[in-house]
Amino acid sequence: MSGPPDTITSSGQRARSELLRAVGYMVCSAAMFACMAVMIRLASSQLHAFEIAFFRNFFGFVFALPLLMHHGMGILKTDKLSLYVGRCLIGIVSMLCGFYAIVHLPLAKAVTISYSTPLFVTILAVLFLGEMVRLRRWTAVGLGFIGVLVIMRPGADTFDANTLVALTAAVLSAIVAISIKVLSRTEKPDAIVLWTTMLWVPLSLVPALFVWTWPTGWTWAWIVAAGFFGTAGHMFWTRALKRGDASMLTPISFMQVPIVAVLAWWLFDETVTAWTAVGAAIIFVANAYIAHREAQVASRAVTDADISPETQKR
C-alpha cells in the first residue's frame, strides 16, 4: 500500500522546486562567468593573464567581504581546511590555464573547450562520488570528446597548442567541481566562497609577481569588474551544486558560450569558425543528454523514496 497521495505530491513538489532553483542559480552563474571572460580579455591589452588572475581574486575577495560581515567569523569554522587548500591549489592552476587560454585563443573557442568540463565531471563523479552512469551516458561522454577533437583539430595545420592549455583547465575544473560537491555536503555555500577567495589571493600572487605591471586607466575598471563577476558567478555556482547533482547541473552553464560569442563579435570583431560551431553543437548535445539522464535518475530516486516500505507502513 502506497503512502498518502498528499505526502507523495508534497515531496515531489519540493524536489521540483529545489531542481528549478538549482537550474536558476546555474544560469545566473553562466551569465556572470561570461561577463568575467569579457573583462579578462579587455584587461589583457595591458596585463599578463597571471596578473589578471591575481586582481580577479583580490577584488573577488573584496566583494565577498559582505558575506563575512553578514555571517560573522563563525562561518569560517571548519574541519575541512585540508580539503579547501587542496581544492584551491587545483583551482588556481585551472584558473591560470583558463585565463591564459582566454587571452591567447578566440574567446568563443576558449570558452567552448572549457565546456568539456561536464564530460570529465561525469567520469570523476563515478570514481569519487559513487554516481551510477550507464551505457547511454558513457556514449554521450564519448560523443562530447569527439566534439572537443573537432574544435581542437589535432594534427591539422591550424592546430593551436594553446587549446591544450584550455583543455587542461577543463580537466582541473572538473576536479574542482567534484570537490565543491563534496564540501557542499557539510559546508555552507558562503563558507566555500569565502575560504576559496581568501586562499586564492596569496596563491595567485606568486605567479603574478613574475610578470607584474601596474594597471592604468580603464584597465582598473576591467579587473575590478572581473573580480565582481567572478565572485558572483562562484556564489551562484556553489548554491546550484548544493541543490543539485554535479553532472546534471554543469551542462546547463553551457549557455555561457552563445553569450560570449555575441559579446566577442560585438566588442572584438571575432567570428565563430565552422569547426568551433560544429564542435560546440556536439558538446552541447552530449551535455544535454547527460543532464536529461541525470534528471531521470534523480526523479526515479525521489519516487522510490516516496513509496519505500517505510513510507508504505505509515
Side-chain angles (χ1 to χ4, degrees):
M1 182 177 178
S2 63
D6 56 343
T7 301
I8 298 177
T9 300
S10 177
S11 178
Q13 289 176 342
R14 285 196 300 271
R16 284 191 292 272
S17 176
E18 282 294 287
L19 178 61
L20 288 174
R21 291 180 67 183
V23 169
Y25 284 140
M26 191 57 80
V27 169
C28 291
S29 174
M32 295 297 100
F33 284 132
C35 292
M36 184 188 73
V38 171
M39 296 301 106
I40 293 168
R41 174 59 70 80
L42 289 170
S44 70
S45 62
Q46 183 183 98
L47 302 179
H48 190 280
F50 291 177
E51 191 177 351
I52 297 172
F54 164 72
F55 279 114
R56 173 261 182 264
N57 292 326
F58 176 79
F59 288 111
F61 175 65
V62 171
F63 285 115
L65 284 177
L67 294 177
L68 187 59
M69 297 172 62
H70 175 73
H71 294 287
M73 294 297 293
I75 195 173
L76 297 178
K77 184 178 181 181
T78 181
D79 58 357
K80 300 290 193 305
L81 184 57
S82 60
L83 183 55
Y84 275 116
V85 173
R87 167 257 190 278
C88 287
L89 283 170
I90 297 171
I92 201 64
V93 177
S94 174
M95 177 184 290
L96 294 176
C97 290
F99 279 34
Y100 188 89
I102 287 173
V103 170
H104 293 90
L105 287 173
L107 202 54
K109 185 175 185 177
V111 172
T112 299
I113 293 175
S114 76
Y115 278 92
S116 61
T117 292
L119 309 177
F120 296 107
V121 167
T122 301
I123 296 172
L124 294 175
V126 172
L127 296 176
F128 296 104
L129 300 183
E131 295 181 9
M132 180 65 69
V133 175
R134 301 188 185 281
L135 179 60
R136 282 181 287 183
R137 265 190 290 168
W138 283 125
T139 303
V141 170
L143 178 64
F145 283 125
I146 291 175
V148 173
L149 291 175
V150 169
I151 296 172
M152 296 178 63
R153 301 184 66 202
D157 294 337
T158 57
F159 173 73
D160 189 337
N162 289 319
T163 58
L164 295 176
V165 179
L167 189 63
T168 299
V171 174
L172 297 176
S173 182
I175 298 175
V176 171
I178 294 298
S179 69
I180 289 179
K181 188 62 178 178
V182 173
L183 283 169
S184 67
R185 292 172 176 173
T186 57
E187 304 289 289
K188 295 180 179 179
D190 288 347
I192 297 174
V193 171
L194 284 167
W195 270 113
T196 299
T197 53
M198 284 193 302
L199 291 171
W200 272 353
V201 173
L203 289 174
S204 59
L205 176 60
V206 176
L209 290 176
F210 290 95
V211 292
W212 190 267
T213 300
W214 281 105
T216 59
W218 278 100
T219 302
W220 280 109
W222 308 143
I223 57 179
V224 170
F228 169 76
F229 287 124
T231 295
H234 196 190
M235 290 173 61
F236 284 123
W237 191 38
T238 54
R239 280 163 171 76
L241 292 177
K242 178 75 174 180
R243 289 170 170 80
D245 189 85
S247 53
M248 179 192 74
L249 286 173
T250 308
I252 297 173
S253 62
F254 198 89
M255 68 177 297
Q256 180 184 350
V257 174
I259 296 174
V260 164
V262 171
L263 291 175
W265 167 77
W266 179 42
L267 295 172
F268 311 117
D269 198 30
E270 291 184 0
T271 57
V272 178
T273 67
W275 290 104
T276 298
V278 171
I282 294 173
I283 294 173
F284 175 78
V285 170
N287 288 343
Y289 182 78
I290 291 172
H292 171 69
R293 291 296 299 167
E294 283 296 329
Q296 287 184 327
V297 170
S299 178
R300 283 199 298 268
V302 171
T303 302
D304 291 343
D306 287 336
I307 61 175
S308 65
E310 290 76 10
T311 303
Q312 295 176 18
K313 292 176 183 178
R314 295 174 184 173

